[in-house]
Amino acid sequence: MKRSLMMAAAVAAYVLPAAAPVMAQDAPLFRSRADIRAAAAAEARASAPAPAPAAAPAAQPQQNREQRQERREERQERRADRQEQAAPADNAPAFRNRQDIRDAAAAEQRQERRQDRREDRQDTRQERRQADPNAPLFRSREDIRDAAAAEQRRLRRENGGDDRQDRREDRQERREDRREDRQDRREYREFRQRFNSDQWRYDWNRSHRADWWRSDRRFRGYSGLRIGFYFAPGYGYYQVPRSYWGQRYHAGQYLPSIFWRYQLNDWRTFGLGYPPEGTRWVLVDNHIYLIDEYDGYIVDVIYDAWRW
C-alpha cells in the first residue's frame, strides 16, 4: 500500500507541471480589475435576452432616461478604471505635495462634470427634437430671451386696444392723485401757518422744568437709555431694528411703519396743534412726528421734545 502511494505521488509530481502550460492556454489573461469587470460585463451582455421593442410611443421618455442612466454609469466605471491604473504614464504631472494632488483631482472632476453636463444637454435636445420636430431650437440663453421678447411684442399687438385703455385709466388715476396731493399740501400749509414747532418748544420749556417728565405717570417704567430700544410714553420700551435705531427723519420723508402704532392721543395735554384730517402725532423716542396715516409722510417734526 505504501509503495502504491509513493508511486502515485511520483507520477503526479512529473505529470502536473507538464500539463499546466497546456491548461493555461485556454484560460483568459487578466492584467487588472478593469479587465475582470469588462469580461464580466461582456459575458452579462451576451447572456442577457434581447430587449423587447417599444410597445407604445409613450414609453420612449422612460427608455431615454434609462439609456442616459446607463451611459452615466458607464462613464463612472470608465472613470474608476482610469483612477485604478497602477503604472503612471511617462508624461504624468509631478506632484510636490498633497495640495497639488487635491488641485489636480478637483480640476479633473470639474472637467468630467462639464463633459457629463454637455452630454446630458445633447441627450435632452435630442429627446425634444424627437418629441416635437416643429419646436424651436434654442442654442443659448440669448435665443430664449429673444423668443420671449418676440412673444411679448406679439401679445401687445394683439391687445393694443386694451393697453391704450389701461394707459388712459392710469393717466386719469394719476391726475386724480395729483389733485388729492394738492389738496393735502394745502391742508399741510394751513397747519404750518397755525403751528410752529420752534415756538412750541420755547413756550413749553419756559413753562416746564427740564425734568418735568419724571413726575408724569406716562413715563412710569423708564429706567434709562437702552441700546436697541426706544421708550414711548404710555407704551414702555420696544425693540427697534438695527437699521432704524438712532435715525432721525425730516419733514418730507416717510416714517417707517414700525413706528406708526405709537400714537400720541393726548396731544392737547402737550399743547400741540390739532392734526389735519388723515394725520396723527406719533412718538419716536424723544421726538414727536406728525405723519400721514396712509403712507407715513412726515408733515412736521419736533426734535427732543423732552430731555432724558
Side-chain angles (χ1 to χ4, degrees):
M1 186 67 180
K2 292 182 180 180
R3 185 176 300 174
S4 300
L5 292 174
M6 291 176 66
M7 290 296 291
V11 171
Y14 283 101
V15 172
L16 290 178
V22 178
M23 297 173 61
Q25 289 179 358
D26 298 333
L29 179 60
F30 302 110
R31 296 182 178 179
S32 63
R33 295 182 180 177
D35 296 339
I36 298 174
R37 284 196 296 271
E43 185 178 356
R45 286 194 297 270
S47 61
Q60 187 68 21
Q62 181 66 23
Q63 293 179 359
N64 293 333
R65 284 194 292 270
E66 293 177 355
Q67 292 175 0
R68 285 203 304 273
Q69 183 65 23
E70 291 177 358
R71 287 195 293 271
R72 192 175 295 110
E73 292 177 356
E74 291 177 0
R75 289 197 295 270
Q76 292 177 358
E77 291 180 358
R78 291 196 299 269
R79 193 179 305 125
D81 294 340
R82 289 195 298 269
Q83 293 176 357
E84 290 181 358
Q85 290 178 357
D90 297 336
N91 56 354
F95 302 113
R96 298 180 178 178
N97 50 33
R98 294 184 179 179
Q99 185 63 33
D100 295 341
I101 298 174
R102 287 194 292 268
D103 295 342
E108 185 178 358
Q109 290 178 1
R110 287 194 297 270
Q111 182 66 24
E112 292 172 354
R113 284 197 295 269
R114 283 196 294 269
Q115 183 65 23
D116 294 343
R117 287 196 295 269
R118 192 177 300 111
E119 294 177 359
D120 291 340
R121 285 196 296 270
Q122 291 176 358
D123 295 341
T124 304
R125 284 196 295 269
Q126 185 66 23
E127 289 180 5
R128 291 176 180 174
R129 199 173 295 113
Q130 293 176 357
D132 189 3
N134 299 324
L137 179 61
F138 302 112
R139 298 182 177 179
S140 63
R141 295 183 179 179
E142 187 67 26
D143 296 342
I144 298 174
R145 287 194 291 268
D146 294 341
E151 183 67 18
Q152 290 179 358
R153 288 194 296 270
R154 185 183 65 81
L155 293 176
R156 281 200 297 269
R157 284 196 298 271
E158 293 178 356
N159 302 327
D162 296 339
D163 292 342
R164 284 193 293 273
Q165 182 65 25
D166 293 340
R167 286 196 293 271
R168 283 196 216 95
E169 294 177 356
D170 292 340
R171 285 197 296 271
Q172 183 67 23
E173 291 178 358
R174 287 197 296 270
R175 201 173 293 118
E176 294 176 356
D177 292 340
R178 284 197 294 271
R179 287 200 210 97
E180 294 178 357
D181 293 341
R182 285 197 295 272
Q183 181 66 24
D184 293 341
R185 286 196 292 270
R186 189 179 302 111
E187 295 178 358
Y188 298 159
R189 286 196 298 270
E190 293 175 356
F191 173 80
R192 293 192 184 96
Q193 290 175 359
R194 61 183 172 85
F195 179 78
N196 188 308
S197 58
D198 297 333
Q199 185 64 33
W200 175 88
R201 184 181 292 102
Y202 174 78
D203 296 340
W204 182 266
N205 293 337
R206 188 178 58 179
S207 59
H208 294 78
R209 298 190 318 176
D211 58 346
W212 62 268
W213 53 271
R214 295 184 182 276
S215 58
D216 195 306
R217 59 180 178 81
R218 288 165 295 191
F219 292 83
R220 185 180 305 166
Y222 178 75
S223 59
L225 181 64
R226 294 184 183 179
I227 302 299
F229 290 84
Y230 281 166
F231 182 85
Y235 296 93
Y237 286 99
Y238 63 93
Q239 192 172 6
V240 181
R242 182 178 300 179
S243 57
Y244 297 151
W245 194 83
Q247 292 286 339
R248 276 195 177 192
Y249 302 93
H250 307 281
Q253 295 180 339
Y254 292 87
L255 188 69
S257 59
I258 190 175
F259 303 115
W260 297 2
R261 71 188 70 176
Y262 304 105
Q263 184 174 357
L264 180 62
N265 296 316
D266 53 347
W267 49 270
R268 294 185 181 86
T269 304
F270 289 90
L272 300 173
Y274 175 77
E277 185 178 358
T279 62
R280 68 173 69 171
W281 291 102
V282 295
L283 302 164
V284 181
D285 199 24
N286 60 339
H287 312 310
I288 304 177
Y289 291 90
L290 179 65
I291 65 170
D292 192 304
E293 293 181 344
Y294 178 74
D295 56 1
Y297 177 82
I298 300 176
V299 181
D300 202 350
V301 57
I302 301 175
Y303 297 114
D304 301 325
W306 46 84
R307 287 166 285 184
W308 297 124

